[in-house]
């Protein structure tokens, strides 16, 4: 089934890079629709990844030497907001916000446990619009990306939402301004603050993520059923709990970068064929032997072994 990007480009509603429409591997609906707390289906936030041309991923194939001469611009993402499709929904129309990453950039962001990117990888099946064999490989191994560093990322994003609640005063005539006038604070920012804290709690405890798990709670917050004091109290309580969970979690302290890199190379070989003449894979046995050697050296330095 053609991707959304392909269909919109075919109808000249968007003008992406020429390679992009045929290279999209994964597209999902994100935002409140994915969290299960919105009844609005007219606007769609779509995020995914593509596989650019081989020489865009490995620029040395076209003779480029990193750091020498004029460097060609690398493709990292295509983004276009407010794309209107008047024929969608039987003529009612629909507006799209599109973000399609290079598979390399996507892997990097997910490996860093960027909350928005984790949402796309752990979104419910009903939100998947496009999924190729490559995307299926990534979905199947999605838990391997999770690590305790998720707490730091989610905490930072949650603080950002809290600051927006406290410091941002929207135009009183705007939709958001009317929400603030009615409830005393912006319920959308509160929804995201609570969601971020709850999601990272799942990650640290379960090593997994169900982004729809708290949909009823999030709906209640959006309806203004929580006071600002309740939101602040929830954040303060969760912050204390999560600091302890960070220490006791069974997840690795940081990402297993070599394993993630191998998955990325597996995906690229699924798409392009063998990359043996393009990139050298790190031998797993040699890597493990080096890790053992490093541990032994560390123990010797500390005097635990002779």
């Amino acid at each position: 089934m053609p991707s959304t990007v392909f269909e919109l480009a075919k109808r000249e509603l968007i003008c992406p890079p020429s390679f992009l429409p045929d290279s999209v591997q994964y597209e999902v609906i994100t935002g409140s629709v994915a969290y299960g707390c919105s009844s609005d289906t007219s606007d769609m936030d779509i995020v995914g990844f593509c596989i650019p041309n081989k020489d865009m991923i490995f620029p040395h194939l076209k003779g480029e030497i990193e750091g020498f001469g004029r460097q060609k611009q690398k493709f990292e993402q295509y983004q276009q907001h407010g794309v209107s499709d008047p024929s969608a929904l039987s003529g009612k129309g629909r507006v799209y916000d599109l973000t399609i990453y290079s598979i390399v950039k996507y892997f990097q962001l997910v490996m860093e446990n960027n909350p928005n990117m984790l949402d796309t990888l752990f979104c419910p099946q009903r939100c998947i619009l496009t999924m190729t064999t490559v995307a299926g490989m990534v979905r199947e191994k999605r838990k391997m990306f999770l690590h305790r560093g998720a707490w730091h990322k989610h905490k930072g994003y949650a603080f950002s939402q809290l600051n927006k609640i406290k410091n941002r005063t929207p135009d009183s005539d705007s939709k958001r301004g009317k929400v603030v006038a009615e409830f005393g604070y912006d319920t959308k920012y509160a929804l995201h603050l609570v969601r971020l804290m709850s999601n990272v709690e799942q990650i640290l405890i379960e090593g997994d993520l169900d982004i729809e798990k708290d949909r009823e709670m999030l709906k209640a917050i959006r309806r203004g059923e929580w006071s600002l004091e309740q939101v602040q109290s929830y954040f303060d309580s969760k912050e204390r709990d999560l600091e302890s969970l960070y220490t006791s979690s069974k997840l690795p302290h940081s990402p297993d970068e070599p394993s993630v890199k191998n998955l990325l190379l597996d995906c690229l070989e699924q798409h392009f064929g063998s990359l043996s003449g393009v990139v050298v894979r790190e031998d797993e046995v040699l890597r493990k032997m080096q890790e053992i050697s490093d541990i032994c050296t560390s123990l010797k330095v500390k005097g635990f072994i002779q």
Side-chain angles (χ1 to χ4, degrees):
M1 182 176 178
S3 68
T4 305
V5 169
F6 180 91
E7 293 292 349
L8 292 174
K10 182 179 178 181
R11 295 165 55 202
E12 299 184 346
L13 296 175
I14 59 173
C15 297
S18 59
F19 73 85
L20 187 60
D22 292 316
S23 66
V24 173
Q25 305 293 311
Y26 189 53
E27 285 181 332
V28 299
I29 304 170
T30 63
S32 57
V33 173
Y35 310 140
C37 61
S38 174
S39 59
D40 180 10
T41 57
S42 60
D43 293 354
M44 291 183 69
D45 296 328
I46 297 178
V47 180
F49 68 81
C50 68
I51 298 183
N53 298 336
K54 188 187 292 187
D55 60 6
M56 292 180 175
I57 299 174
F58 304 105
H60 66 280
L61 293 177
K62 52 187 175 186
E64 185 173 326
I65 301 175
E66 186 173 356
F68 176 80
R70 181 179 296 178
Q71 301 289 292
K72 295 183 179 179
Q73 187 174 5
K74 296 178 174 62
F75 175 81
E76 291 195 340
Q77 68 190 69
Y78 166 75
Q79 194 168 41
Q80 193 162 344
H81 291 165
V83 180
S84 178
D85 181 0
S87 65
L89 299 176
S90 302
K92 293 180 181 179
R94 169 171 275 162
V95 176
Y96 295 93
D97 287 343
L98 304 170
T99 306
I100 304 295
Y101 293 92
S102 157
I103 189 173
V104 178
K105 180 70 172 180
Y106 184 82
F107 263 63
Q108 181 66 31
L109 292 172
V110 177
M111 187 173 69
E112 292 170 358
N113 279 196
N114 176 295
N116 295 332
M117 293 299 99
L118 288 182
D119 285 351
T120 67
L121 197 52
F122 287 84
C123 72
Q125 194 74 25
R126 63 179 175 80
C127 291
I128 299 175
L129 302 176
T130 301
M131 185 166 70
T132 64
T133 300
V134 166
M137 292 167 62
V138 183
R139 286 270 301 189
E140 183 181 359
K141 298 286 184 68
R142 61 189 181 274
K143 292 182 184 179
M144 75 181 294
F145 288 92
L146 300 177
H147 54 85
R148 277 186 278 171
W151 165 226
H152 301 302
K153 283 287 185 180
H154 283 70
K155 182 180 181 180
Y157 275 58
F159 265 116
S160 174
Q161 299 301 312
L162 188 60
N163 288 333
K164 288 176 181 178
I165 293 172
K166 293 180 175 180
N167 303 323
R168 185 171 294 186
T169 305
D171 187 326
S172 59
D173 293 329
S174 68
K175 181 178 179 181
R176 191 153 288 178
K178 292 175 182 177
V179 170
V180 173
E182 182 176 359
F183 302 116
Y185 69 98
D186 193 316
T187 58
K188 184 175 181 180
Y189 292 141
L191 178 157
H192 288 303
L193 183 151
V194 170
R195 177 183 63 80
L196 286 160
M197 300 297 275
S198 179
N199 281 4
V200 75
E201 183 177 46
Q202 278 191 68
I203 291 171
L204 293 175
I205 294 174
E206 302 172 22
D208 201 353
L209 179 58
D210 175 4
I211 67 173
E212 291 187 290
K213 183 177 181 179
D214 298 309
R215 57 185 176 274
E216 295 306 322
M217 179 172 66
L218 299 181
K219 287 178 183 178
I221 295 170
R222 170 159 276 182
R223 292 192 297 263
E225 295 176 13
W226 283 34
S227 67
L228 181 55
E229 290 72 23
Q230 283 178 286
V231 174
Q232 181 71 62
S233 177
Y234 178 93
F235 176 81
D236 293 340
S237 175
K238 284 296 181 186
E239 184 182 12
R240 290 191 297 270
D241 293 344
L242 289 165
E243 289 291 355
S244 297
L245 279 174
Y246 172 79
T247 303
S248 61
S249 175
K250 294 180 181 179
L251 284 176
H253 182 269
S254 56
D256 182 353
E257 187 171 320
S259 294
V260 173
K261 180 182 178 182
N262 277 328
L263 176 59
L264 173 59
L265 291 173
D266 287 344
C267 289
L268 293 175
E269 288 195 325
Q270 172 66 35
H271 183 74
F272 291 123
S274 175
L275 295 174
S276 60
V278 177
V279 63
V280 177
R281 283 186 185 251
E282 183 178 7
D283 186 272
E284 185 67 15
V285 175
L286 290 176
R287 184 172 73 85
K288 291 295 183 184
M289 290 176 63
Q290 184 60 52
E291 287 178 359
I292 293 170
S293 175
D294 292 342
I295 292 171
C296 291
T297 300
S298 177
L299 292 173
K300 285 182 180 179
V301 170
K302 295 177 181 178
F304 291 113
I305 59 175
Q306 298 299 318

